């Protein structure tokens, strides 16, 4: 089988690695003209780590990550509202949640493929299906034919628009800054934290080599020019009423290490498969980052698809992939959006209510609410 993968991000490269190990002919086409480290820190849940282990690169990725055993939620004064014991995932499923630099994960996936597999500077315009295959057409006038096209070209996927033109990205209601800086004793090992307040939300987690990944979110309309131009010093002032470590982390982050984006997702769709073309990752189910499952769900897509292709004929494999992944990722997208909605409340009444009720929700219930992420792993 010749598989054409459109998009060389985490989902596309994971699919390429998994299918290459099954001896499929894999060609990855990436619109960017060069391969270079991008992004900041990301979280990989134990569910994703299990899948990466299954294709033989889990240990390499774990070695570059930092295990997180506890998630803490606080109010703006630093008072603990609740916690989630991630160590239970290790005890129950054998794998840990980690933080890792997106570039390190990307590079490990890239290094697991033969160099000729990835073609750069190739932006796919559209695909056309024929009785004996599918053809992908690129912006430079070239085309390639294969047995299957995997559309892993992100939230703004041109291929999703071809088959599902109404599935445009939707704004989540807030904008986000992300940064990397040195820890210097500000952040506890193995602990990630989020602070929720009326005027914004701030989170941080330790990473390897004494680094810390942080994010900051505030409610706004999309494309707000004021927030787009904030320096780190000005951003720290926006969070001046938060605990001391918040302003310190922002202030000592180099401006070049700070990224700013409005947050979008895609309203869940009911189909990922269109003949010989299959949607994967953000192209299929872009989610807000509130559960740390964006990369993880793309990885799960890739492994699920590869496993089905190994066991069934093409049509049956794609049918099973769609059946398994559509319902599951819908739940992730919806729950993640709900979490972000509650975390970004700004009215005095709503935030007071949240801060009084949240501490009374049993930590075990929060853990249980995440166990659906492992449903497919236990069958």
């Amino acid at each position: 089988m010749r598989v054409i993968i459109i998009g060389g991000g985490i989902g596309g490269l994971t699919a390429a690695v998994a299918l290459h190990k099954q001896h499929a002919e894999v060609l990855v086409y990436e619109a960017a003209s060069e391969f270079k480290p991008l992004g900041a820190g990301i979280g990989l849940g134990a569910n994703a780590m299990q899948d990466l282990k299954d294709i033989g690169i889990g240990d390499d990725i774990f070695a570059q990550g930092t295990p997180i055993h506890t998630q803490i939620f606080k109010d703006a004064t630093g008072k603990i509202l609740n916690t989630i014991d991630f160590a239970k995932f290790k005890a129950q499923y054998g794998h840990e949640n980690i933080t890792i630099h997106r570039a390190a994960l990307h590079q490990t996936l890239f290094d697991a493929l033969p160099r000729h597999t990835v073609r750069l500077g190739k932006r796919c315009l559209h695909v056309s299906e024929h009785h004996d295959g599918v053809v992908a057409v690129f912006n430079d006038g070239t085309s390639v034919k294969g047995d299957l096209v995997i559309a892993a070209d992100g939230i703004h996927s041109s291929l999703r628009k071809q088959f599902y033109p109404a599935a445009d990205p939707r704004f989540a209601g807030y904008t986000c800054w992300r940064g990397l800086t040195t820890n210097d004793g500000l952040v506890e090992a193995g602990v990630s934290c989020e602070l929720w307040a009326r005027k914004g939300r701030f989170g941080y987690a330790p990473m390897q080599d004494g680094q810390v990944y942080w994010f900051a979110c505030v409610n706004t309309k999309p494309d707000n020019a004021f927030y787009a131009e904030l320096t780190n010093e000005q951003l720290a002032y926006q969070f001046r009423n938060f605990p001391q470590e918040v302003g310190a982390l922002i202030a000592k982050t180099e401006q070049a290490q700070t990224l700013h984006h409005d947050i979008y997702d895609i309203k869940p769709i009911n189909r990922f498969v269109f003949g010989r073309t299959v949607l994967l990752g953000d192209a299929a189910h872009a989610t807000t980052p509130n559960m740390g499952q964006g990369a993880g769900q793309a990885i799960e897509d890739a492994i699920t698809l590869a496993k089905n292709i190994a066991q069934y004929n093409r049509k049956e494999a794609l049918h099973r992939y769609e059946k398994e992944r559509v319902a599951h990722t819908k739940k992730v997208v919806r729950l993640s959006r709900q979490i972000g909605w509650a975390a970004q409340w700004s009215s005095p009444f709503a935030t007071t209510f949240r801060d009084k009720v949240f501490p009374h929700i049993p930590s075990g219930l929060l853990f249980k609410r995440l166990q659906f992420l492992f449903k497919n792993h236990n069958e």
Side-chain angles (χ1 to χ4, degrees):
M1 176 180 282
R2 170 184 266 199
V3 181
I4 300 164
I5 299 176
I6 307 302
I10 291 170
L13 291 185
T14 303
V17 172
L19 291 166
H20 173 69
K21 289 179 179 292
Q22 294 172 190
H23 308 293
E25 180 186 359
V26 181
L27 297 172
V28 180
Y29 293 89
E30 165 58 42
S33 58
E34 60 180 322
F35 185 91
K36 58 183 180 181
L38 294 172
I42 61 171
L44 284 181
N47 53 316
M49 293 305 300
Q50 182 170 315
D51 278 336
L52 292 167
K53 184 92 170 180
D54 288 346
I55 60 170
I57 59 174
D59 289 342
D60 291 339
I61 290 169
F62 184 78
Q64 299 176 76
T66 299
I68 301 296
H69 57 72
T70 305
Q71 168 74 51
I72 298 177
F73 300 94
K74 299 180 180 180
D75 66 14
T77 68
K79 177 185 175 183
I80 294 178
L81 298 174
N82 217 319
T83 63
I84 301 177
D85 184 4
F86 285 154
K88 290 183 179 179
F89 287 120
K90 168 72 172 180
Q92 194 161 337
Y93 303 108
H95 297 276
E96 296 185 271
N97 289 18
I98 68 167
T99 56
I100 188 171
H101 198 294
R102 179 179 289 273
L105 173 60
H106 202 211
Q107 187 70 52
T108 302
L109 292 166
F110 182 79
D111 290 342
L113 291 167
R115 284 292 175 265
H116 70 272
T117 303
V118 181
R119 318 288 172 88
L120 299 174
K122 305 283 281 187
R123 181 167 59 86
C124 183
L125 300 179
H126 61 86
V127 296
S128 58
E129 186 165 336
H130 305 271
H131 72 280
D132 59 346
V134 60
V135 175
V137 178
F138 300 94
N139 60 321
D140 59 3
T142 63
S143 62
V144 61
K145 187 176 182 180
D147 299 296
L148 178 69
V149 166
I150 297 175
D153 50 342
I155 188 172
H156 300 291
S157 170
S158 61
L159 297 188
R160 185 188 67 250
K161 290 179 182 178
Q162 178 180 337
F163 295 104
Y164 227 118
D168 290 326
R170 59 178 181 175
F171 183 54
Y174 43 97
T175 195
C176 186
W177 294 261
R178 292 170 293 159
L180 279 175
T181 190
T182 52
N183 191 342
D184 298 330
L186 293 170
V187 175
E188 184 180 350
V191 176
S192 61
C193 180
E194 287 193 26
L195 298 104
W196 297 356
R198 285 180 54 200
K199 294 187 177 180
R201 174 169 47 136
F202 192 88
Y204 52 81
M207 294 181 65
Q208 275 202 350
D209 301 322
Q211 289 191 307
V212 171
Y213 160 67
W214 60 262
F215 70 86
C217 297
V218 296
N219 294 339
T220 183
K221 294 180 180 179
D223 303 315
N224 186 319
F226 172 78
Y227 287 131
E229 297 173 1
L230 285 190
T231 64
N232 283 357
E233 182 179 4
Q234 292 167 329
L235 179 61
Y237 183 77
Q238 293 285 318
F239 285 82
R240 62 191 180 279
N241 294 323
F242 279 61
Q244 176 270 336
E245 69 267 19
V246 171
L249 288 170
I250 299 173
K252 67 195 197 70
T253 303
E254 295 181 17
Q255 198 66 50
Q257 294 293 325
T258 304
L259 304 173
H260 172 247
H261 297 95
D262 288 345
I263 300 299
Y264 288 83
D265 67 1
I266 296 173
K267 185 178 179 180
I269 60 178
N270 296 319
R271 290 182 62 188
F272 292 172
V273 175
F274 303 87
R276 291 176 180 262
T277 302
V278 54
L279 305 181
L280 184 149
D282 282 355
H285 48 73
T287 181
T288 57
N290 300 297
M291 292 177 65
Q293 282 289 323
Q297 291 304 305
I299 290 167
E300 282 194 358
D301 284 352
I303 306 303
T304 300
L305 179 60
K307 285 180 176 178
N308 280 314
I309 287 174
Q311 295 179 53
Y312 305 101
N313 64 51
R314 175 180 52 82
K315 286 187 177 181
E316 180 65 16
L318 297 188
H319 170 73
R320 287 174 175 266
Y321 164 78
E322 187 173 65
K323 185 177 180 181
E324 290 179 47
R325 298 305 298 161
V326 168
H328 185 79
T329 55
K330 272 185 181 182
K331 191 168 184 178
V332 173
V333 172
R334 288 169 177 164
L335 180 56
S336 186
R337 194 173 180 92
Q338 288 170 6
I339 292 171
W341 170 73
Q344 293 291 142
W345 284 348
S346 58
S347 79
F349 174 79
T351 53
T352 300
F353 172 79
R354 181 192 62 204
D355 292 354
K356 286 185 177 179
V357 172
F358 194 24
H360 297 288
I361 299 175
S363 179
L365 185 61
L366 299 178
F367 174 81
K368 189 174 182 179
R369 199 178 186 197
L370 298 176
Q371 284 187 295
F372 80 94
L373 295 170
F374 291 87
K375 180 179 182 294
N376 294 336
H377 296 266
N378 295 326
E379 294 175 346

CSV table of all heavy atoms in Angstrom, one decimal, residues 214-238:
chain,number,residue,atom,x,y,z
A,214,TRP,N,5.0,27.6,30.6
A,214,TRP,CA,3.8,28.3,31.2
A,214,TRP,C,2.9,28.8,30.1
A,214,TRP,O,3.2,28.9,28.9
A,214,TRP,CB,4.3,29.5,32.0
A,214,TRP,CG,5.1,30.5,31.3
A,214,TRP,CD1,6.4,30.7,31.3
A,214,TRP,CD2,4.6,31.6,30.5
A,214,TRP,NE1,6.8,31.8,30.6
A,214,TRP,CE2,5.7,32.4,30.1
A,214,TRP,CE3,3.3,32.1,30.2
A,214,TRP,CZ2,5.6,33.5,29.3
A,214,TRP,CZ3,3.2,33.2,29.4
A,214,TRP,CH2,4.3,33.9,29.0
A,215,PHE,N,1.6,29.0,30.5
A,215,PHE,CA,0.7,29.6,29.6
A,215,PHE,C,-0.2,30.6,30.4
A,215,PHE,O,-0.3,30.5,31.6
A,215,PHE,CB,-0.2,28.6,28.9
A,215,PHE,CG,-1.2,27.9,29.9
A,215,PHE,CD1,-2.5,28.5,30.1
A,215,PHE,CD2,-0.9,26.7,30.5
A,215,PHE,CE1,-3.4,27.9,31.0
A,215,PHE,CE2,-1.8,26.1,31.3
A,215,PHE,CZ,-3.1,26.7,31.6
A,216,ALA,N,-0.7,31.6,29.6
A,216,ALA,CA,-1.5,32.6,30.2
A,216,ALA,C,-2.7,32.9,29.3
A,216,ALA,O,-2.5,33.1,28.1
A,216,ALA,CB,-0.7,33.9,30.5
A,217,CYS,N,-3.9,32.9,29.8
A,217,CYS,CA,-5.1,33.1,29.0
A,217,CYS,C,-6.0,34.3,29.5
A,217,CYS,O,-6.2,34.4,30.7
A,217,CYS,CB,-6.0,31.9,28.9
A,217,CYS,SG,-5.2,30.4,28.2
A,218,VAL,N,-6.5,35.1,28.6
A,218,VAL,CA,-7.5,36.1,29.0
A,218,VAL,C,-8.6,36.1,28.0
A,218,VAL,O,-8.4,35.8,26.8
A,218,VAL,CB,-6.8,37.5,29.1
A,218,VAL,CG1,-5.8,37.6,30.2
A,218,VAL,CG2,-6.2,37.9,27.8
A,219,ASN,N,-9.8,36.5,28.5
A,219,ASN,CA,-11.0,36.6,27.6
A,219,ASN,C,-10.9,37.8,26.7
A,219,ASN,O,-10.4,38.9,27.1
A,219,ASN,CB,-12.3,36.6,28.4
A,219,ASN,CG,-12.5,35.4,29.2
A,219,ASN,OD1,-12.0,34.3,28.9
A,219,ASN,ND2,-13.4,35.5,30.2
A,220,THR,N,-11.3,37.6,25.5
A,220,THR,CA,-11.2,38.7,24.5
A,220,THR,C,-12.0,38.3,23.2
A,220,THR,O,-12.4,37.2,23.1
A,220,THR,CB,-9.8,39.1,24.1
A,220,THR,OG1,-9.8,40.2,23.3
A,220,THR,CG2,-9.1,37.9,23.4
A,221,LYS,N,-12.1,39.3,22.3
A,221,LYS,CA,-12.6,39.0,21.0
A,221,LYS,C,-11.4,38.5,20.1
A,221,LYS,O,-10.3,38.8,20.5
A,221,LYS,CB,-13.2,40.2,20.4
A,221,LYS,CG,-14.5,40.7,21.1
A,221,LYS,CD,-15.1,41.9,20.5
A,221,LYS,CE,-16.4,42.4,21.2
A,221,LYS,NZ,-17.0,43.6,20.6
A,222,PRO,N,-11.7,37.8,19.0
A,222,PRO,CA,-10.6,37.3,18.2
A,222,PRO,C,-9.8,38.5,17.6
A,222,PRO,O,-10.4,39.6,17.3
A,222,PRO,CB,-11.3,36.5,17.1
A,222,PRO,CG,-12.7,36.9,17.1
A,222,PRO,CD,-13.0,37.4,18.5
A,223,ASP,N,-8.6,38.3,17.3
A,223,ASP,CA,-7.7,39.2,16.6
A,223,ASP,C,-7.6,40.6,17.3
A,223,ASP,O,-7.6,41.6,16.7
A,223,ASP,CB,-8.2,39.4,15.2
A,223,ASP,CG,-8.2,38.1,14.4
A,223,ASP,OD1,-7.2,37.3,14.5
A,223,ASP,OD2,-9.2,37.9,13.7
A,224,ASN,N,-7.5,40.6,18.6
A,224,ASN,CA,-7.4,41.8,19.4
A,224,ASN,C,-6.0,42.4,19.3
A,224,ASN,O,-5.1,41.8,19.7
A,224,ASN,CB,-7.8,41.5,20.9
A,224,ASN,CG,-7.8,42.8,21.7
A,224,ASN,OD1,-7.0,43.7,21.6
A,224,ASN,ND2,-8.8,42.8,22.7
A,225,ALA,N,-5.9,43.5,18.6
A,225,ALA,CA,-4.6,44.1,18.3
A,225,ALA,C,-3.8,44.5,19.6
A,225,ALA,O,-2.6,44.4,19.6
A,225,ALA,CB,-4.7,45.3,17.4
A,226,PHE,N,-4.6,44.9,20.7
A,226,PHE,CA,-3.9,45.2,21.9
A,226,PHE,C,-3.1,44.1,22.5
A,226,PHE,O,-1.9,44.2,22.8
A,226,PHE,CB,-5.0,45.7,22.9
A,226,PHE,CG,-4.4,45.9,24.3
A,226,PHE,CD1,-3.7,47.1,24.6
A,226,PHE,CD2,-4.6,45.0,25.3
A,226,PHE,CE1,-3.2,47.3,25.9
A,226,PHE,CE2,-4.1,45.2,26.6
A,226,PHE,CZ,-3.4,46.4,26.9
A,227,TYR,N,-3.8,42.9,22.6
A,227,TYR,CA,-3.1,41.7,23.1
A,227,TYR,C,-2.0,41.2,22.2
A,227,TYR,O,-1.0,40.6,22.7
A,227,TYR,CB,-4.1,40.6,23.4
A,227,TYR,CG,-5.0,40.9,24.7
A,227,TYR,CD1,-6.3,40.8,24.6
A,227,TYR,CD2,-4.4,41.4,25.8
A,227,TYR,CE1,-7.1,41.1,25.7
A,227,TYR,CE2,-5.1,41.7,27.0
A,227,TYR,CZ,-6.5,41.5,26.9
A,227,TYR,OH,-7.3,41.8,28.0
A,228,ALA,N,-2.2,41.3,20.9
A,228,ALA,CA,-1.2,40.8,19.9
A,228,ALA,C,0.1,41.5,20.1
A,228,ALA,O,1.2,40.9,19.8
A,228,ALA,CB,-1.7,41.0,18.5
A,229,GLU,N,0.1,42.7,20.6
A,229,GLU,CA,1.4,43.5,20.7
A,229,GLU,C,2.0,43.6,22.1
A,229,GLU,O,3.0,44.3,22.3
A,229,GLU,CB,1.1,45.0,20.2
A,229,GLU,CG,0.6,45.0,18.7
A,229,GLU,CD,0.2,46.4,18.3
A,229,GLU,OE1,0.2,47.3,19.1
A,229,GLU,OE2,-0.2,46.5,17.1
A,230,LEU,N,1.4,42.9,23.0
A,230,LEU,CA,1.9,43.0,24.4
A,230,LEU,C,3.3,42.4,24.5
A,230,LEU,O,3.6,41.3,24.0
A,230,LEU,CB,1.0,42.2,25.4
A,230,LEU,CG,-0.3,42.8,25.8
A,230,LEU,CD1,-0.9,41.9,26.9
A,230,LEU,CD2,-0.2,44.2,26.2
A,231,THR,N,4.2,43.1,25.2
A,231,THR,CA,5.5,42.6,25.6
A,231,THR,C,5.3,41.7,26.8
A,231,THR,O,4.3,41.7,27.5
A,231,THR,CB,6.5,43.7,25.9
A,231,THR,OG1,6.0,44.4,27.1
A,231,THR,CG2,6.6,44.6,24.7
A,232,ASN,N,6.3,40.9,27.1
A,232,ASN,CA,6.3,40.1,28.4
A,232,ASN,C,6.1,41.0,29.6
A,232,ASN,O,5.4,40.6,30.6
A,232,ASN,CB,7.5,39.2,28.5
A,232,ASN,CG,7.5,38.0,27.5
A,232,ASN,OD1,6.5,37.8,26.8
A,232,ASN,ND2,8.5,37.2,27.5
A,233,GLU,N,6.8,42.1,29.6
A,233,GLU,CA,6.7,43.0,30.8
A,233,GLU,C,5.2,43.5,30.9
A,233,GLU,O,4.7,43.5,32.0
A,233,GLU,CB,7.6,44.2,30.6
A,233,GLU,CG,7.6,45.2,31.7
A,233,GLU,CD,8.5,46.4,31.5
A,233,GLU,OE1,9.1,46.5,30.4
A,233,GLU,OE2,8.6,47.2,32.5
A,234,GLN,N,4.6,43.8,29.8
A,234,GLN,CA,3.2,44.2,29.8
A,234,GLN,C,2.2,43.1,30.2
A,234,GLN,O,1.3,43.3,30.9
A,234,GLN,CB,2.8,44.8,28.5
A,234,GLN,CG,3.5,46.1,28.2
A,234,GLN,CD,3.3,46.6,26.7
A,234,GLN,OE1,3.2,45.7,25.8
A,234,GLN,NE2,3.3,47.9,26.5
A,235,LEU,N,2.6,41.9,29.7
A,235,LEU,CA,1.8,40.7,30.1
A,235,LEU,C,1.9,40.4,31.6
A,235,LEU,O,0.9,40.1,32.2
A,235,LEU,CB,2.2,39.5,29.3
A,235,LEU,CG,1.5,38.2,29.6
A,235,LEU,CD1,0.0,38.3,29.2
A,235,LEU,CD2,2.1,37.0,28.8
A,236,ALA,N,3.1,40.5,32.1
A,236,ALA,CA,3.3,40.3,33.6
A,236,ALA,C,2.4,41.3,34.4
A,236,ALA,O,1.8,41.0,35.4
A,236,ALA,CB,4.7,40.5,33.9
A,237,TYR,N,2.3,42.5,33.9
A,237,TYR,CA,1.5,43.5,34.5
A,237,TYR,C,0.0,43.1,34.5
A,237,TYR,O,-0.7,43.4,35.5
A,237,TYR,CB,1.7,44.9,33.9
A,237,TYR,CG,0.9,46.0,34.6
A,237,TYR,CD1,1.4,46.6,35.8
A,237,TYR,CD2,-0.3,46.5,34.0
A,237,TYR,CE1,0.7,47.6,36.4
A,237,TYR,CE2,-1.0,47.5,34.7
A,237,TYR,CZ,-0.5,48.0,35.9
A,237,TYR,OH,-1.2,49.0,36.5
A,238,GLN,N,-0.4,42.5,33.4
A,238,GLN,CA,-1.8,42.0,33.3
A,238,GLN,C,-2.1,41.0,34.4
A,238,GLN,O,-3.3,40.9,34.9
A,238,GLN,CB,-2.1,41.4,32.0
A,238,GLN,CG,-2.0,42.3,30.8
A,238,GLN,CD,-3.2,43.2,30.6
A,238,GLN,OE1,-4.4,42.7,30.8
A,238,GLN,NE2,-3.0,44.5,30.4
